[in-house]
Amino acid sequence: MAEAVFQRCIHPHCGASVAVEETSFACPKCGGLLDVAYDWNRLQPPKSLAYFESKWAERLQPLSFSGVWRFRELLPFAPPEKIMTIGEGQTILQRADVVAKFAGMNAGCLHLQYEGMNPSGSFKDNGMTAAFTHASMVGATRAACASTGNTSASLAVFCSATGLMRAVIFIGSGKIAYGKLAQSLDHGALTVQIAGDFDDAMLRVQQISKKLGIYLVNSVNPFRLEGQKTIMYRILEAMRWEVPDWIVVPGGNLGNVSSFGKAFIELMELGLIKRPPRLAVINAAGSNTFYQLYERFGLRWNNGQPDARIIDGYYQSLDAEKIRAATIASAIEINHPVNLHKALRALDRCGGAVREVTDQEILDAKAKVGAGGLGCEPASAASVAGAKKLRKEGVIAPSDRVVCILTGHQLKDPTATVAYHSADRKTFDEVLGHRGVRRATYANRAVQVPNDLDEIIKAIEVYT
Ligand code: F0G
């Protein structure tokens, strides 16, 4: 294809191309996933990553203010006048010594990339600004997603902030944290609760968006993943363009790890970095498809031809045993990750590992993240629990430079947090008991005191 920007099947043996404007987001030849592909010879990628530092002086311009679009030379699919930004990506990389100690790392070696600072409170805004930009390029008037809550919150925010499109959101009934549901309702999205879970909703939204011609913003949309690449650029920038040893990320639909892999593959191709970091993907034990397939059944990218028998056999066994995803980390309560193939490619090219962590491990890690100064939702803390596990196994060394991605804000899911810290066993058990969570080792319990000045003073003196 003669265009400088196009979409291309990720499988090298197929390699079919489609135009940048196409919105079906599946390879027309083999049905595989698509990448946004660039002919870099016809574009102007920077010669060094330090080039992006010049953008800091241009912060009054919205495209240079955005933590996504100030890297636009590395995702050059949209004309600048079509870019839809709401100031996403103003996020921080924070050194976290309390968490390092918890994970068994040396001080100064563990950092947290806090994506909860985005306008809708999760990393999704990085991808949504890119998908939304593509949607506006093709003149979409309605956009849809299935969601465990954050994609939907992000879509709802983009639709309401720009007034450009109507948001249609599919969620599993009873499967979404209240903070996220509140966002979807408050921002005026059409919120459809279907009787089923995320995996059911994901299938439905793909059928419906095709049938009704509604623009799909789930991470099968390769433009979403272009925006999420910039999380990695910001980490490199905060590390003075040095590549860390490990990026650790929770795995749900596997969009993040896929986009991180693409970011590093491209930076290598462009000669902007010499080596990629290794990527660790952390599943919740109650929704551990990627862990099972990669670590237990040895599924690999295999040059674009992963063994379909392993994948089909695994899904058949889930169906036969009626196993549904189940974890307190509702954001990653997913058994059929749509980006499985891209995630395999990312691990093949960068190296890495996949682990599972229990809900108990997730909540303990979350409490430590909180005690260290940043608030995250349960799914995000899977990254920290996973880093701790990999350290214990000796896969990560205490002196490795590790970045854990905190994907979503603490206030997204206060129910789990309050239950964990509750002194009332009934409250604890109601929310966490059926998840196999038995202890709250790092609980910070509220102190009950009578409404009496002396008693209150006494309590303060005892506890501080
Ligand atoms: N962390 C949070 C807070 C999430 O919301 C998600 C995904 C993930 C991690 C997993 O990321 O899918 O790229 O592997 N949430 C989606 C949603 C599925 O609908 O909001 P992934």
Side-chain angles (χ1 to χ4, degrees), residues 123-124 146-152 180 198 228 250-256 331-332 334 377 379-380 407-408:
F123 74 94
K124 301 284 179 180
S147 186
T148 54
N150 280 327
T151 305
S152 47
K180 305 175 190 182
F198 174 83
Q228 288 168 217
N253 236 350
L254 303 178
N256 258 339
I332 52 174
I334 297 171
E377 65 173 285
S380 310
T407 44

CSV table of all heavy atoms in Angstrom, one decimal, residues 123-124 146-152 180 198 228 250-256 331-332 334 377 379-380 407-408, ligand 1:
chain,number,residue,atom,x,y,z
A,123,PHE,N,-5.7,4.8,33.2
A,123,PHE,CA,-4.8,4.8,32.0
A,123,PHE,C,-5.6,4.9,30.7
A,123,PHE,O,-5.1,5.2,29.6
A,123,PHE,CB,-3.9,3.6,31.9
A,123,PHE,CG,-4.6,2.3,31.6
A,123,PHE,CD1,-4.6,1.9,30.2
A,123,PHE,CD2,-5.2,1.6,32.5
A,123,PHE,CE1,-5.2,0.7,29.9
A,123,PHE,CE2,-5.9,0.4,32.1
A,123,PHE,CZ,-5.9,0.0,30.8
A,124,LYS,N,-6.9,4.6,30.7
A,124,LYS,CA,-7.7,4.4,29.5
A,124,LYS,C,-7.7,5.7,28.7
A,124,LYS,O,-7.8,5.7,27.5
A,124,LYS,CB,-9.1,4.0,29.8
A,124,LYS,CG,-9.3,2.7,30.5
A,124,LYS,CD,-9.0,1.5,29.7
A,124,LYS,CE,-9.2,0.3,30.5
A,124,LYS,NZ,-9.0,-1.0,29.7
A,146,ALA,N,-17.6,-2.4,25.5
A,146,ALA,CA,-17.9,-3.2,26.6
A,146,ALA,C,-16.9,-2.9,27.6
A,146,ALA,O,-15.7,-2.5,27.3
A,146,ALA,CB,-17.8,-4.7,26.2
A,147,SER,N,-17.2,-2.9,28.9
A,147,SER,CA,-16.2,-2.5,29.9
A,147,SER,C,-16.4,-3.1,31.3
A,147,SER,O,-17.5,-3.4,31.7
A,147,SER,CB,-16.3,-1.0,30.0
A,147,SER,OG,-15.2,-0.5,30.8
A,148,THR,N,-15.3,-3.2,31.9
A,148,THR,CA,-15.3,-3.5,33.4
A,148,THR,C,-15.4,-2.2,34.1
A,148,THR,O,-15.2,-2.2,35.4
A,148,THR,CB,-14.1,-4.4,33.8
A,148,THR,OG1,-12.9,-3.8,33.4
A,148,THR,CG2,-14.2,-5.8,33.2
A,149,GLY,N,-15.5,-1.1,33.4
A,149,GLY,CA,-15.8,0.2,34.1
A,149,GLY,C,-14.9,1.3,33.7
A,149,GLY,O,-15.3,2.5,33.7
A,150,ASN,N,-13.6,1.1,33.4
A,150,ASN,CA,-12.7,2.2,33.1
A,150,ASN,C,-12.8,2.7,31.7
A,150,ASN,O,-12.8,3.9,31.4
A,150,ASN,CB,-11.3,1.8,33.5
A,150,ASN,CG,-11.1,2.0,35.0
A,150,ASN,OD1,-11.7,2.9,35.7
A,150,ASN,ND2,-10.3,1.2,35.6
A,151,THR,N,-12.9,1.7,30.8
A,151,THR,CA,-13.0,2.1,29.4
A,151,THR,C,-14.3,2.9,29.2
A,151,THR,O,-14.3,4.0,28.6
A,151,THR,CB,-13.0,0.9,28.4
A,151,THR,OG1,-11.9,0.1,28.6
A,151,THR,CG2,-13.1,1.3,27.0
A,152,SER,N,-15.3,2.5,29.9
A,152,SER,CA,-16.6,3.1,29.8
A,152,SER,C,-16.6,4.5,30.4
A,152,SER,O,-17.1,5.5,29.8
A,152,SER,CB,-17.7,2.3,30.4
A,152,SER,OG,-17.3,1.8,31.7
A,180,LYS,N,-16.9,3.7,39.1
A,180,LYS,CA,-16.9,3.7,37.6
A,180,LYS,C,-18.3,3.8,37.0
A,180,LYS,O,-18.5,4.5,36.0
A,180,LYS,CB,-16.2,2.4,37.1
A,180,LYS,CG,-14.9,2.2,37.7
A,180,LYS,CD,-14.3,0.8,37.3
A,180,LYS,CE,-13.0,0.6,38.1
A,180,LYS,NZ,-12.4,-0.7,37.7
A,198,PHE,N,-18.2,-9.5,31.7
A,198,PHE,CA,-17.5,-8.8,30.7
A,198,PHE,C,-17.3,-9.6,29.4
A,198,PHE,O,-17.5,-9.0,28.3
A,198,PHE,CB,-16.1,-8.3,31.2
A,198,PHE,CG,-15.3,-7.6,30.1
A,198,PHE,CD1,-15.5,-6.3,29.8
A,198,PHE,CD2,-14.3,-8.3,29.4
A,198,PHE,CE1,-14.7,-5.7,28.8
A,198,PHE,CE2,-13.6,-7.7,28.4
A,198,PHE,CZ,-13.8,-6.4,28.1
A,228,GLN,N,-1.9,4.4,24.1
A,228,GLN,CA,-1.3,3.8,25.3
A,228,GLN,C,0.2,3.6,25.2
A,228,GLN,O,0.9,3.4,26.3
A,228,GLN,CB,-2.1,2.5,25.6
A,228,GLN,CG,-3.5,2.8,26.2
A,228,GLN,CD,-4.4,1.7,26.3
A,228,GLN,OE1,-5.6,1.8,26.0
A,228,GLN,NE2,-3.9,0.5,26.6
A,250,PRO,N,-0.7,-5.1,35.2
A,250,PRO,CA,-1.8,-6.0,35.3
A,250,PRO,C,-2.3,-6.4,33.9
A,250,PRO,O,-2.3,-5.6,33.0
A,250,PRO,CB,-2.9,-5.2,36.1
A,250,PRO,CG,-2.4,-3.9,36.2
A,250,PRO,CD,-1.1,-3.7,35.6
A,251,GLY,N,-2.8,-7.7,33.8
A,251,GLY,CA,-3.3,-8.1,32.5
A,251,GLY,C,-4.8,-8.4,32.6
A,251,GLY,O,-5.2,-9.2,33.4
A,252,GLY,N,-5.6,-7.8,31.7
A,252,GLY,CA,-7.0,-8.1,31.6
A,252,GLY,C,-7.3,-8.5,30.2
A,252,GLY,O,-7.1,-9.6,29.8
A,253,ASN,N,-7.6,-7.5,29.4
A,253,ASN,CA,-7.8,-7.7,27.9
A,253,ASN,C,-6.5,-7.7,27.2
A,253,ASN,O,-6.5,-7.8,26.0
A,253,ASN,CB,-8.8,-6.6,27.4
A,253,ASN,CG,-10.0,-7.2,26.7
A,253,ASN,OD1,-10.1,-8.4,26.5
A,253,ASN,ND2,-10.9,-6.4,26.4
A,254,LEU,N,-5.4,-7.4,27.9
A,254,LEU,CA,-4.1,-7.5,27.4
A,254,LEU,C,-3.8,-6.4,26.3
A,254,LEU,O,-2.9,-6.5,25.5
A,254,LEU,CB,-3.7,-8.8,26.8
A,254,LEU,CG,-3.9,-10.0,27.8
A,254,LEU,CD1,-3.6,-11.3,27.1
A,254,LEU,CD2,-3.0,-9.8,29.0
A,255,GLY,N,-4.5,-5.3,26.4
A,255,GLY,CA,-4.2,-4.1,25.5
A,255,GLY,C,-3.0,-3.4,25.9
A,255,GLY,O,-2.1,-3.1,25.1
A,256,ASN,N,-2.8,-3.2,27.2
A,256,ASN,CA,-1.6,-2.4,27.7
A,256,ASN,C,-0.3,-3.1,27.3
A,256,ASN,O,0.5,-2.5,26.7
A,256,ASN,CB,-1.7,-2.3,29.2
A,256,ASN,CG,-2.1,-0.9,29.6
A,256,ASN,OD1,-2.0,0.1,28.8
A,256,ASN,ND2,-2.6,-0.7,30.8
A,331,ALA,N,-11.7,-4.9,37.5
A,331,ALA,CA,-11.2,-4.3,36.2
A,331,ALA,C,-10.6,-5.4,35.3
A,331,ALA,O,-10.6,-5.3,34.1
A,331,ALA,CB,-10.2,-3.2,36.5
A,332,ILE,N,-10.0,-6.4,35.9
A,332,ILE,CA,-9.3,-7.5,35.1
A,332,ILE,C,-10.0,-8.8,35.2
A,332,ILE,O,-9.4,-9.9,35.0
A,332,ILE,CB,-7.8,-7.6,35.5
A,332,ILE,CG1,-7.6,-7.8,37.0
A,332,ILE,CG2,-7.1,-6.3,35.0
A,332,ILE,CD1,-6.1,-8.0,37.4
A,334,ILE,N,-11.6,-11.0,33.5
A,334,ILE,CA,-11.7,-11.3,32.1
A,334,ILE,C,-11.1,-12.6,31.7
A,334,ILE,O,-9.9,-12.8,32.1
A,334,ILE,CB,-11.0,-10.2,31.2
A,334,ILE,CG1,-11.7,-8.8,31.5
A,334,ILE,CG2,-11.0,-10.5,29.7
A,334,ILE,CD1,-10.9,-7.6,30.9
A,377,GLU,N,-6.7,1.3,42.5
A,377,GLU,CA,-7.7,0.3,42.7
A,377,GLU,C,-7.1,-1.1,42.7
A,377,GLU,O,-5.9,-1.3,42.4
A,377,GLU,CB,-8.7,0.5,41.5
A,377,GLU,CG,-8.2,0.2,40.1
A,377,GLU,CD,-9.3,0.2,39.1
A,377,GLU,OE1,-10.1,-0.8,39.1
A,377,GLU,OE2,-9.4,1.2,38.3
A,379,ALA,N,-7.1,-3.9,40.8
A,379,ALA,CA,-6.5,-4.4,39.7
A,379,ALA,C,-5.0,-3.8,39.5
A,379,ALA,O,-4.1,-4.6,39.2
A,379,ALA,CB,-7.3,-4.1,38.4
A,380,SER,N,-4.9,-2.6,39.8
A,380,SER,CA,-3.6,-1.9,39.6
A,380,SER,C,-2.5,-2.5,40.5
A,380,SER,O,-1.4,-2.7,40.2
A,380,SER,CB,-3.7,-0.4,39.9
A,380,SER,OG,-4.8,0.2,39.3
A,407,THR,N,-2.7,1.4,37.2
A,407,THR,CA,-3.6,1.7,36.1
A,407,THR,C,-4.8,2.5,36.4
A,407,THR,O,-5.3,3.3,35.6
A,407,THR,CB,-4.0,0.3,35.5
A,407,THR,OG1,-4.4,-0.5,36.6
A,407,THR,CG2,-2.9,-0.3,34.7
A,408,GLY,N,-5.3,2.4,37.7
A,408,GLY,CA,-6.5,3.2,38.0
A,408,GLY,C,-6.5,3.7,39.4
A,408,GLY,O,-5.8,3.2,40.3
B,1,F0G,N1,-6.2,-2.0,35.2
B,1,F0G,C1,-7.3,-1.4,35.1
B,1,F0G,C2,-7.6,-0.4,36.2
B,1,F0G,C3,-8.2,-1.6,34.1
B,1,F0G,O1,-9.4,-0.9,34.0
B,1,F0G,C4,-7.9,-2.6,33.1
B,1,F0G,C5,-8.8,-2.9,32.0
B,1,F0G,C6,-6.7,-3.2,33.2
B,1,F0G,C7,-5.8,-2.9,34.3
B,1,F0G,C8,-6.3,-4.3,32.2
B,1,F0G,O2,-5.7,-3.7,31.1
B,1,F0G,O3,-7.1,-4.8,29.4
B,1,F0G,O4,-5.0,-3.6,28.8
B,1,F0G,O5,-4.9,-5.7,30.0
B,1,F0G,N2,-10.0,-2.5,32.0
B,1,F0G,C9,-10.9,-2.7,30.8
B,1,F0G,C10,-12.1,-1.8,31.0
B,1,F0G,C11,-11.1,-4.1,30.4
B,1,F0G,O6,-13.2,-2.2,30.4
B,1,F0G,O7,-12.1,-0.8,31.6
B,1,F0G,P1,-5.7,-4.5,29.7
